[in-house]
Amino acid sequence: MSQSNFIVRKVAVLGAGVMGAQIAAHLVNAKVPTILFDLPAKEGDKSAIAKKAIDGLKKLKPAPFAAKDRAAYITPANYDEHLELLKECDLVIEAIAERLDWKADLYSKVAPFLGEQTIFATNTSGLSINALAQSCPESVRPRFCGVHFFNPPRYMHLVEIIPCQTSEAGMLDNLERFLVSTLGKGVVRAKDTPNFVANRVGVFSMLATIANAEKYGIRFDVVDDLTGPRLGRPKSATFRTADVVGLDTFAHVVKTMQDTLPNDPWHSLFQSPSWLQTLIQNGALGQKTKRGIYKKDGKQMFVLNPASGEYVEAGQKGDDAVKNILKESNPALKFKKLRESQHPQAQFLWACFRDVFHYISYHLADIADNARDLDLAIRWGFGWSVGPFETWQAAGWQQVATWLQEDIAAGQTLATAALPAWVTEGDRAGVHFADGSYNAAQQTLSPRSTLSVYQRQLAPARVLGETAPDLGKTVFENEGVRAYSNGDGVLVVSFNSKAHAIGPQVLEGVNKALDIAEAEYRALVIWQTEEPFSVGADLQSMMPAFMMGDWKGIENIVKNFQDTSMRLKYSQIPVVAATQGYAFGGGCEFVMHADKVVAALETYIGLVEVGVGLLPAGGGCKEFALRAANEAKGDVLAAVKDYFMAIATAKVGTSALEGQEIGFIKKTDTVVFNAYELLYVAKQEALAMAEAGYRPPLKVKAFPVAGRAGAASIKGQLVNMLEGQFISKHDFTIASLIADIMTGGDVEQGTLVDEQWILDLERKGFMQLLRNPLTQARIANMLTTGKPLRN
């Protein structure tokens, strides 16, 4: 089973429940045809259960499908009629309910139909893979392993691969390559221990937080205020996360730990609190039943008081003194302040960190191959920005270890187990180093995986203490951008600005990079070292000119922006934009002017200027007017209308595939599922264009526009929207201006114009809106609150 011939032509997913159906959805996102199996329906169409699941996927939020048409590529099936289809599948993923007996029964049914090379994987969040392997015929066992997707599978980066004793090494490598490159996942190989790596630590962390909240008397909503983004964790924090996951699911994972970890020193913690059991009995299972730990009544949110079992008004926040400690930028000082504070909320936070540090150091040897795997599993599976070992190492390894030992001796910790000897041996400075991360079982440092697929990750996810990848030496840098190259003939440009907003320094930097690239390099790639690609034009940088009423100065900035977009389009070397995260406004306009786009699947792209009372003036209106003219089969107006609506309603493509459907990204552009492969693929695309003897596109001399008659037709629809109160008067003003620009201004239908004609209209319209007090109010609101104002 060598790497060269492992091609996944088709996959079967057994079980059309929540996870099975969403795994199928993500497979077809990646153009992998998938058969979704479930039990035969009692009456009518025997595949009705699988069909219903596929229909259900279309209504889910966040959307499991990255493009609406993908649902058609899942084939519904049932075990009575379609087992023969399994022979066509290179990978079969079983995702039925977490019961050993049910899984064993299914294995005996499907095993005779598996192809000789088919990989057979069970998606389980905690059952023993070796026990499940015993239910497979001996011939299947070398091709059997565990694979654990996190919910929702499209968006959660983590997939754990859990080998069993009989799993063939080559098969595991092939599966990992497929998960990483085709499905875009971060893979961690886990040991066959209950709940594997991420759930074992993540659920322990939640249980420790619940126990410490009770100990220090902290309200649930205050806990969530303190343990969310303030700690670099998701907004759902602790209790809201339990509601999102489902209280029954959370309780099930806790029960698994209770049943399968009798000798864990923290075993007494592995039980659902009585208030949680009561909620479950009452059918309050969290988000899916519209009430759980939280419930909404009208606009008011309520939270459970566990002591009384009643709901109280939610919304209380952590104490300012404690929140100020959390703002401390020096981790060592932050932890010292938390530990020394007498405030119950600070003591609670220190206890939560300490108990997790205690747990992961005690269990590292038996649950993960090394500390890096554990940290990445928690970051990718639970959305923490920093892993628990990284947090400890940053705060001063030896100092935290000493505090831990003092707290264990004083009986403050949740268990009395001593720290393992390796934690304090020698003058240990941590677990992550330039040449690897600590492997506690072998007491060595484990280097990174050398699997071929990781050669494509030029800037992989790093843990604290690892060496930063060498992306090349700096060729040019100013306040706005850094341009660098590693000698492969490609100049890479990354923005230095906050959220990669495009202001005067970025424009100056991009132009300078183009000068250098045209003189000395074969291609230019715009790629950011982290999300987002760009939130758009830097409105803040226009404020001084705005306050002084320097309209000419602002118009010059807009003109410079347009000229830079046009330069990207017509430069003498190929320009590739590599996008992930937000590509909004001016960022989207840069993307639209690149020769080629390499977009990570999770690229959220749109011309959203109307949200701040403006219109696209970096060439966005022009580019859409031009594309409409190229696509029009005699009727420019019909072609321009969809593009107009995309701008006027600030429509955002919520995936790269949707961005292609709307037209921000061309159908011929490349979508990459693993964002860590973006830079590699963008460089390959850029060099391929250079190799093919790249010449810039010929300047468009003239293209037809819909003219004033076209604008009148669009405005007729806008009047209806205004009268129906779907848009405000100012929305109407902005949209009317966009209509005028995209139809070419005050000219006859079919008039031929060039690109500069529309760019001049864009700039004029932008300046007109900027002088409008209603637009000024929208901009001020966005800059102060970060939210759009509908006025």
Side-chain angles (χ1 to χ4, degrees), residues 610 644 648 714 718 727 730-740:
V610 297
F644 162 78
I714 292 172
L718 292 175
I727 57 174
H730 194 45
D731 291 328
F732 179 80
T733 303
I734 302 164
S736 298
L737 260 177
I738 295 168
D740 286 336

Side-chain angles (χ1 to χ4, degrees), residues 302-610:
F302 292 86
V303 66
L304 185 76
N305 173 351
S308 67
E310 302 294 319
Y311 286 96
V312 295
E313 275 196 36
Q316 283 199 16
K317 304 277 186 232
D319 194 283
D320 285 346
V322 178
K323 291 193 289 201
N324 283 335
I325 296 177
L326 292 179
K327 285 179 189 157
E328 170 59 61
S329 58
N330 177 342
L333 198 54
K334 174 164 39 183
F335 277 94
K336 186 172 188 291
K337 287 178 176 175
L338 283 177
R339 189 165 187 267
E340 289 174 358
S341 168
Q342 293 304 301
H343 197 296
Q345 291 176 15
Q347 293 174 333
F348 155 76
L349 286 167
W350 159 249
C352 290
F353 278 110
R354 172 202 65 207
D355 291 326
V356 169
F357 296 159
H358 190 184
Y359 193 76
I360 59 175
S361 58
Y362 184 88
H363 282 300
L364 178 59
D366 52 87
I367 66 172
D369 281 339
N370 57 68
R372 176 181 53 248
D373 283 355
L374 190 146
D375 274 347
L376 290 176
I378 291 296
R379 277 165 46 177
W380 293 341
F382 279 78
W384 294 18
S385 58
V386 183
F389 275 125
E390 293 177 282
T391 304
W392 180 351
Q393 186 165 327
W397 185 270
Q398 291 292 350
Q399 176 62 78
V400 171
T402 305
W403 288 337
L404 260 170
Q405 287 176 311
E406 287 171 10
D407 282 13
I408 294 167
Q412 301 253 304
T413 49
L414 290 171
T416 56
L419 283 181
W422 67 261
V423 172
T424 50
E425 70 190 358
D427 51 358
R428 176 173 293 287
V431 287
H432 300 305
F433 304 97
D435 42 359
S437 287
Y438 190 66
N439 176 326
Q442 294 172 6
Q443 303 192 347
T444 54
L445 291 181
S446 293
R448 285 265 177 175
S449 166
T450 54
L451 206 60
S452 56
V453 71
Y454 295 112
Q455 307 311 306
R456 297 164 58 86
Q457 299 191 4
L458 303 183
R462 258 189 321 141
V463 287
L464 176 91
E466 269 189 297
T467 318
D470 181 12
L471 295 172
K473 68 176 202 308
T474 301
V475 175
F476 162 76
E477 186 163 20
N478 70 355
E479 264 184 62
V481 312
R482 174 175 170 244
Y484 46 95
S485 180
N486 68 356
D488 58 2
V490 179
L491 187 66
V492 181
V493 175
S494 300
F495 300 173
N496 294 331
S497 51
K498 187 181 173 189
H500 308 132
I502 302 166
Q505 277 89 9
V506 171
L507 293 171
E508 181 195 315
V510 169
N511 277 291
K512 177 77 174 162
L514 282 164
D515 290 340
I516 296 168
E518 286 181 339
E520 301 169 36
Y521 290 86
R522 305 185 67 199
L524 180 85
V525 168
I526 303 175
W527 170 82
Q528 314 299 8
T529 53
E530 74 281 311
E531 289 185 28
F533 178 76
S534 172
V535 292
D538 182 3
L539 293 173
Q540 201 84 49
S541 67
M542 290 186 186
M543 288 320 272
F546 184 67
M547 300 310 277
M548 290 162 62
D550 178 9
W551 302 110
K552 195 75 207 138
I554 294 176
E555 187 163 358
N556 286 339
I557 296 174
V558 179
K559 174 84 168 71
N560 187 12
F561 203 128
Q562 293 181 335
D563 292 348
T564 306
S565 291
M566 290 293 278
R567 223 187 135 192
L568 289 170
K569 183 172 181 175
Y570 292 112
S571 78
Q572 296 303 311
I573 38 121
V575 173
V576 175
T579 66
Q580 64 164 320
Y582 299 142
F584 287 162
C588 176
E589 288 173 304
F590 269 12
V591 171
M592 291 169 78
H593 285 80
D595 290 297
K596 181 99 191 177
V597 182
V598 175
L601 178 71
E602 299 307 333
T603 292
Y604 304 91
I605 185 164
L607 295 169
V608 296
E609 285 84 351
V610 297

Side-chain angles (χ1 to χ4, degrees), residues 702-735:
F703 61 92
V705 289
R708 64 177 88 85
S713 166
I714 292 172
K715 287 177 194 174
Q717 286 175 295
L718 292 175
V719 169
N720 293 339
M721 289 170 79
L722 179 64
E723 285 175 354
Q725 297 185 330
F726 296 109
I727 57 174
S728 70
K729 276 187 175 164
H730 194 45
D731 291 328
F732 179 80
T733 303
I734 302 164

